[in-house]
């Protein structure tokens, strides 16, 4: 008895402490990994499978469609509109968020008093429910009651009274105009998600050692040169992270669009429709889950391709 | 001691038997306080009448109700008896979410004779897929105080009078409206008003009787479309999205009092009754000079999901429950608690109900109201809403926009027929 115990002890000690720690680390890491595989990867594979069949509650009654739904996507004008809108949202929202996020972060980085107050103010919209945000903006954009048009009218009266008519601006239709609605929604998204970008950039800025700036200043570098040659290159990893995250979020845009024009989601005239909303409507208003699954595969591929291109083009290591 | 054991044995045997006999069924509807309350009362009565059956009511917000149903049934959970909008029947049936009522419990000929004509829309290929407790139709809600101020003692009976009153009650200051005469709401009930009411009044049925063909793409249909869009483009008695929000037209009418008239369903009565702090009235939908009356009828129906068919006991319990909630007594309770009008012919013949100042106009119109045979309610709604928006928001040519709508609508009908 005693002997065998000793033997097993000796066996155990043959695994080094480092290896044992690594094994435990792998075990702990495996738990979220299994979770991730089960809740993310497996459904993604399933949705590809579903996209090959017409939908029915009873799996035995699902009819094989082959690539039928993918061919249907080619002829579906509403999907093409959603695709175009989504790309438009992305090219408006992402650059605006990165530029404004970095600009505000740099301003916050230069002040020391009340910094946390300002940071909290900029972050507040990010943690406000999309429904509440959309509701308030819906009223601000209102043609007949909204504060923006009230301002435009008062502004125009002010200049008209002084005879300077070229400064007057007519009240705008905003969300009720198929031409303006997408931009109006994009402004809301930029405003709401800006706080997240600010926090990320601020953390990045604070990670850059002061001594680089001090050394460069002693050498007589201008502020622009400091920004161009120190801030931007050292911020690159943060920049790439922000770019990828905000691009993915824009490609998946759903909440704000759904909430801001609740009675005509994606309207007017499909002008604010996104791929994610289109997919949701096909699945849960029209019960075409097979086709909707094909749309998710499209969205997944789009995000994958765009992200890979972005990573390829933007990530480079910078060391000083 | 012996007798105690005997007693325990007997008691456990009895309990075991009664447990074995107990059937639990699940009922789903969307979350709307008055409807949930009415159904809870009905469930209580039903359980008292059927000791072996237990009914569990579960509700979900309207906005993700279909999503919940879509996801739960394939996973083997969800409702046995489920409430759904009649317009969803074709898409639900096609994907197997709803099954025909079994003939052994429901006799088609009896149902045909006992329910109001619009309930025919609960049928597919001659079989009933569910039954409503209540039905709804549309009517004109007006702000009697505002009409009186402008010198009108009665609500409009014709569309000419309607336009005259609406113009008198529209207030514009500079480029903006402060008050509108009519709450334009293409996504509210106006797409029904146009598709099912104005087309018929101008002289065309919107669809063929079998529901496979769009018929409104003709002179009469176009006149109806031009007439409706002229309310915005020519007569300026209202603008879309005047009051922002989910049902802005109703809020503007009932709470903000900056909309003088709206067309809405009987389901709006409860909310308006609670919120409106002015003298309000209900009138039948106006007509043209030809006097042709038309109305859009609709209903939420209770049907049986595949879960109900899993075993004989569940099916029997589900069918019993469905029969119970569509009895005349249940409909009376529903009218009192929810304010929706009954679906049985025997109840709408009630002269007291027909002369009620609020329910009257709805009851009267049930005789001729038609429930549009949708194949895909949400897509067909978009077709009409977009046709309206092209004209009122983009200034498109009405004839071209209307033809495009007919084409898109026909494509949806064809897609379903395949």
């Amino acid at each position: 008895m005693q002997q065998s115990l000793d033997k097993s002890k000796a066996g155990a000690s043959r695994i080094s402490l480092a290896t044992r720690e690594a094994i435990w680390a792998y075990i702990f890491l495996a738990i979220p990994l299994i979770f991730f595989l089960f809740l993310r990867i497996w459904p993604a594979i399933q949705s590809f499978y579903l996209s090959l069949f017409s939908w029915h509650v009873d799996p035995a009654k699902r009819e094989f469609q082959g690539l039928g739904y993918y061919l249907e996507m080619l002829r579906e004008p509403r999907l093409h509109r959603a695709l175009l809108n989504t790309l438009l949202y992305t090219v408006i929202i992402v650059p605006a968020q990165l530029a404004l996020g970095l600009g505000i972060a740099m301003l916050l980085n230069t002040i020391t008093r009340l910094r946390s107050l300002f940071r909290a103010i900029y972050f507040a919209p990010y943690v406000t429910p999309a429904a509440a945000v959309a509701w308030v903006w819906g009223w601000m954009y209102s043609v007949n009651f909204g504060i923006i048009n009230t301002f435009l009218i008062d502004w125009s009266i002010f200049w008209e009274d002084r005879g300077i008519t070229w400064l007057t601006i007519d009240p705008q239709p905003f969300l009720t105009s198929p031409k303006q609605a997408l931009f109006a929604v994009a402004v809301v998204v930029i405003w709401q998600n800006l706080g997240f970008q600010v926090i990320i950039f601020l953390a990045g800025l604070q990670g850059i050692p002061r001594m680089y700036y001090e050394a460069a200043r002693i050498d007589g570098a201008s502020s622009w040169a400091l920004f161009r040659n120190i801030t931007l290159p050292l911020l690159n990893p943060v920049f790439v992270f922000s770019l990828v995250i905000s691009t993915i979020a824009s490609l998946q845009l759903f909440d704000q669009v759904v909430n801001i024009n609740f009675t005509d989601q994606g309207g007017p005239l499909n002008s604010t429709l996104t791929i994610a909303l289109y997919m949701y409507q096909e699945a849960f208003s029209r019960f075409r889950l097979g086709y909707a699954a094909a749309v998710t595969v499209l969205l997944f591929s789009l995000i994958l391709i765009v992200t890979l291109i972005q990573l390829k083009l933007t990530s480079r290591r910078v060391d000083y | 001691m012996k007798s105690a054991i005997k007693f325990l044995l007997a008691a456990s045997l009895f309990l075991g038997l009664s447990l074995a006999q107990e059937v639990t069924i699940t009922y789903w509807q969307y979350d709307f306080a008055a409807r949930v309350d009415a159904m809870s009362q009905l469930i209580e009565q039903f359980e008292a009448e059927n000791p072996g059956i237990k009914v569990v009511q579960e509700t979900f917000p309207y906005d993700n109700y279909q999503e919940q149903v879509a996801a739960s049934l394939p996973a083997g959970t969800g409702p046995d008896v489920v409430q759904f909008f009649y317009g969803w029947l074709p898409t639900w049936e096609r994907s197997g979410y709803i099954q025909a009522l079994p003939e052994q419990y429901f006799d088609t000929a009896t149902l045909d004779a006992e329910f109001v004509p619009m309930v025919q829309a609960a049928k597919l290929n001659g079989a009933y897929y569910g039954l409503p407790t209540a039905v709804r139709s549309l009517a004109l809600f007006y702000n009697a105080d505002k009409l009186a101020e402008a010198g009108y003692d009665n609500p409009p009976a014709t569309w000419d009078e309607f336009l005259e009153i609406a113009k008198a009650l529209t207030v514009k200051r500079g480029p903006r409206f402060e008050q509108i005469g009519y709450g334009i709401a293409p996504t509210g009930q106006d797409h029904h008003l146009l598709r099912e009411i104005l087309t018929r009044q101008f002289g065309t049925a919107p669809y063929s009787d079998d529901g496979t063909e769009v018929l409104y793409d003709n002179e009469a249909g176009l006149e109806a479309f031009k007439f409706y869009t002229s309310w915005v483009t020519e007569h300026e008695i209202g603008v879309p999205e005047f009051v922002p929000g989910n049902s802005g037209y109703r809020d503007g009418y009932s709470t903000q009092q900056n909309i003088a008239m709206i067309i809405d369903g009987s389901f709006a009565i409860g909310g308006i009754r609670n919120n409106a702090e002015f003298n309000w009235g209900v009138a039948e939908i106006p007509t043209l000079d030809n006097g042709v009356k038309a109305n859009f009828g609709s209903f939420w129906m209770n049907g049986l999901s595949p879960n109900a068919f899993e075993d004989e006991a569940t099916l029997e319990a589900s069918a019993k429950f469905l029969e119970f909630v569509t009895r005349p007594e249940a409909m009376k309770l529903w009218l009192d608690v929810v304010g929706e009008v009954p679906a049985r012919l025997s109840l709408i013949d009630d002269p007291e109900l027909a002369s009620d100042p609020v329910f009257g106009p709805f009851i009267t119109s049930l005789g001729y109201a038609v429930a549009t045979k949708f194949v895909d309610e949400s897509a067909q709604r978009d077709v009409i809403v977009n046709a309206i928006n092209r004209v009122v928001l983009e200034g498109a040519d009405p004839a071209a926009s209307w033809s495009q709508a007919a084409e898109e609508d026909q494509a949806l009908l064809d897609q379903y027929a395949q």
Side-chain angles (χ1 to χ4, degrees):
Chain A
M1 189 69 190
Q2 187 64 38
Q3 237 176 354
S4 70
L5 248 178
D6 283 346
K7 246 185 198 166
S8 74
K9 250 187 196 166
S13 64
R14 242 176 271 146
I15 305 171
S16 73
L17 188 66
T19 321
R20 231 184 304 166
E21 276 180 353
I23 288 171
W24 277 111
Y26 279 117
I27 290 172
F28 282 120
L29 283 172
I31 294 168
L33 182 71
I34 290 165
F35 204 65
F36 185 76
L37 284 174
F38 187 68
L39 287 177
R40 291 277 176 164
I41 307 298
W42 175 234
I45 295 165
Q46 269 186 319
S47 65
F48 179 72
Y49 180 75
L50 281 181
S51 74
L52 306 175
F53 293 86
S54 65
W55 179 250
H56 198 280
V57 169
D58 181 359
K61 289 187 181 156
R62 294 176 193 165
E63 285 167 27
F64 185 66
Q65 302 287 320
L67 295 175
Y69 288 138
Y70 292 88
L71 294 173
E72 190 181 334
M73 287 200 285
L74 293 175
R75 342 178 266 272
E76 211 31 78
R78 249 183 119 233
L79 172 67
H80 302 162
R81 185 63 197 266
L83 205 56
L84 190 71
N85 286 347
T86 305
L87 295 177
L88 206 53
Y89 276 120
T90 308
V91 298
I92 296 168
I93 291 170
V94 174
Q97 263 180 12
L98 292 188
L100 287 171
L102 179 58
I104 291 166
M106 286 175 67
L107 290 175
L108 285 177
N109 202 30
T110 51
I111 60 168
T112 43
R113 294 182 64 181
L114 300 179
R115 184 197 280 171
S116 34
L117 175 72
F118 278 107
R119 205 171 49 192
I121 290 171
Y122 279 107
F123 198 67
Y126 186 70
V127 288
T128 308
V133 166
W135 194 78
V136 171
W137 278 89
W139 273 97
M140 298 208 314
Y141 278 135
S142 164
V143 179
N144 292 284
F145 304 105
I147 194 167
I148 303 175
N149 272 341
T150 303
F151 171 76
L152 288 180
I153 289 168
D154 290 349
W155 164 274
S156 300
I157 291 171
F158 178 83
W159 291 111
E160 237 166 50
D161 288 351
R162 280 153 189 78
I164 309 173
T165 46
W166 59 272
L167 270 174
T168 60
I169 307 168
D170 286 337
Q172 297 298 312
F174 299 120
L175 294 171
T176 56
S177 154
K179 288 202 178 72
Q180 294 182 2
L182 184 139
F183 298 94
V185 174
V187 167
V188 179
V189 179
I190 293 166
W191 174 80
Q192 192 178 11
N193 293 344
L194 192 56
F196 178 73
Q197 303 293 340
V198 169
I199 296 294
I200 298 292
F201 278 121
L202 196 57
L205 287 172
Q206 285 170 354
I208 302 175
R210 292 267 118 212
M211 53 183 244
Y212 292 152
Y213 292 104
E214 282 155 13
R217 276 231 178 76
I218 291 166
D219 290 345
S222 67
S223 298
W224 171 247
L226 295 181
F227 177 73
R228 176 80 187 72
N229 297 317
I230 300 176
T231 312
L232 269 190
L234 286 174
L235 219 47
N236 195 54
V238 176
F239 186 80
V240 172
F241 173 78
S242 274
L243 177 72
V244 170
I245 290 290
S246 65
T247 304
I248 292 176
S250 301
L251 291 173
Q252 292 179 333
L253 193 60
F254 180 80
D255 284 356
Q256 285 91 348
V257 182
V258 164
N259 287 300
I260 208 158
N261 194 346
F262 216 97
T263 47
D264 186 8
Q265 293 177 345
L269 291 168
N270 300 324
S271 60
T272 59
L273 186 70
T274 63
I275 302 178
L277 176 57
Y278 175 77
M279 181 268 290
Y280 181 87
Q281 288 174 339
E282 289 293 323
F284 301 119
S285 300
R286 304 189 63 195
F287 274 48
R288 302 183 68 221
L289 278 88
Y291 177 70
V295 178
T296 63
V297 173
L298 172 76
L299 182 58
F300 172 78
S301 323
L302 186 72
I303 291 174
L304 186 71
I305 292 166
V306 170
T307 308
L308 287 178
I309 292 174
Q310 282 180 338
L311 288 175
K312 187 100 190 144
L313 290 181
T314 53
S315 34
R316 51 205 155 97
R317 275 196 87 80
V318 180
D319 269 316
Y320 280 96
Chain B
M1 188 67 193
K2 233 180 184 179
S3 62
I5 290 168
K6 261 187 192 165
F7 171 77
L8 277 176
L9 259 174
S12 60
L13 202 68
F14 176 74
L15 272 176
L17 268 179
S18 69
L19 277 177
Q21 274 172 353
E22 181 130 312
V23 181
T24 301
I25 56 170
T26 307
Y27 176 78
W28 275 22
Q29 66 169 335
Y30 74 93
D31 192 13
F32 187 91
R35 306 173 80 90
V36 178
D37 178 28
M39 190 49 74
S40 301
Q41 292 186 36
L42 288 175
I43 289 172
E44 209 172 294
Q45 293 176 9
F46 175 76
E47 287 178 343
E49 198 183 293
N50 299 276
I53 306 174
K54 208 171 136 25
V55 184
V56 179
Q57 177 177 216
E58 291 172 0
T59 62
F60 300 91
Y62 177 80
D63 298 322
N64 58 18
Y65 183 64
Q66 288 209 78
E67 185 188 336
Q68 292 289 345
V69 174
S72 68
L73 287 175
T77 59
D80 299 297
V81 184
V82 58
Q83 194 182 66
F84 61 103
F85 187 63
Y86 87 94
W88 300 343
L89 173 59
T91 46
W92 281 36
E93 185 273 337
R94 178 144 290 193
S95 340
Y97 283 81
I98 203 78
Q99 295 195 13
L101 301 183
E103 274 282 336
Q104 78 234 52
Y105 298 108
F106 299 95
D107 177 49
T108 305
T110 314
L111 298 180
D112 282 345
E114 288 181 353
F115 281 79
V116 293
M118 71 162 92
V119 179
Q120 290 297 316
K123 278 173 155 178
L124 270 182
N125 306 321
Y128 279 96
Y129 278 76
L131 288 170
T133 301
V135 292
R136 308 100 61 87
S137 56
L138 301 181
L140 182 82
F141 289 79
Y142 60 95
N143 184 321
D145 292 345
K146 284 194 192 292
L147 260 68
E149 264 170 49
Y152 298 98
D153 294 330
N154 292 309
T158 67
W159 288 117
D160 283 342
E161 290 171 21
F162 166 83
L163 283 177
E164 188 191 317
I165 295 173
K167 274 183 200 167
L169 290 171
T170 300
V171 184
K172 205 173 180 183
R173 198 169 66 114
R176 301 169 111 182
F177 289 92
E178 283 186 343
Q179 175 175 302
I180 55 176
Y182 176 71
I184 296 280
T187 56
Q189 300 303 315
D190 285 7
H191 68 102
H192 296 304
L193 169 71
L194 174 56
R195 189 198 292 107
E196 198 58 68
I197 300 176
L198 290 175
T199 51
R200 287 183 194 275
Q201 292 185 339
F202 275 85
T204 183
Y207 301 98
S208 60
D209 285 341
D210 61 358
T212 59
E213 217 179 313
V214 173
L215 297 182
Y216 57 69
D217 190 17
N218 54 23
E219 197 57 41
L222 180 59
E223 284 308 309
F225 183 60
K226 279 184 179 163
F227 179 62
Y228 175 79
T229 50
S230 75
W231 297 358
V232 178
T233 56
E234 186 190 329
H235 300 294
E236 295 198 331
I237 59 167
V239 280
E241 303 292 322
F242 178 64
V243 173
N246 205 347
S247 45
Y249 70 104
R250 194 182 298 150
D251 299 339
Y253 169 76
S254 64
T255 41
Q256 293 167 41
Q257 296 186 39
N258 50 19
I259 297 177
M261 296 183 279
I262 57 169
I263 286 175
D264 214 339
S266 32
F267 44 85
I269 293 172
I272 290 171
R273 185 177 274 155
N274 291 337
N275 296 324
E277 290 173 345
F278 54 88
N279 291 307
W280 56 279
V282 183
E284 269 187 84
I285 303 274
T287 62
L288 293 167
D289 290 337
N290 63 20
V292 174
K293 290 182 172 191
N295 206 313
F296 168 70
S298 65
F299 50 90
W300 285 76
M301 56 202 266
N302 296 299
L304 303 179
S305 85
N307 288 353
F309 291 81
E310 248 166 35
D311 58 75
E312 196 47 49
T314 310
L315 182 61
E316 195 189 333
S318 303
K320 265 187 179 168
F321 181 64
L322 208 161
E323 187 271 325
F324 186 87
V325 299
T326 51
R327 282 183 192 174
E329 298 76 28
M331 293 186 181
K332 280 185 188 154
L333 185 143
W334 200 264
L335 175 71
D336 288 339
V337 179
V338 186
E340 286 189 321
V341 295
R344 281 178 180 271
L345 283 169
S346 62
L347 292 171
I348 64 161
D349 285 341
D350 182 356
E352 199 186 318
L353 205 53
S355 62
D356 183 282
V358 173
F359 290 118
F362 292 104
I363 298 278
T364 314
S365 63
L366 287 184
Y368 55 86
V370 178
T372 311
K373 274 188 185 159
F374 290 109
V375 297
D376 188 337
E377 192 254 348
S378 87
Q380 287 178 284
R381 182 187 87 136
D382 286 352
V383 164
I384 300 291
V385 169
N386 289 347
I388 296 168
N389 281 343
R390 277 192 293 270
V391 175
V392 303
L393 301 181
E394 286 190 322
D397 169 39
S401 182
W402 193 237
S403 292
Q404 186 184 337
E407 227 169 86
E408 289 170 0
D409 207 348
Q410 186 64 55
L412 290 167
L413 300 185
D414 293 345
Q415 191 184 12
Y416 179 75
Q418 271 172 18

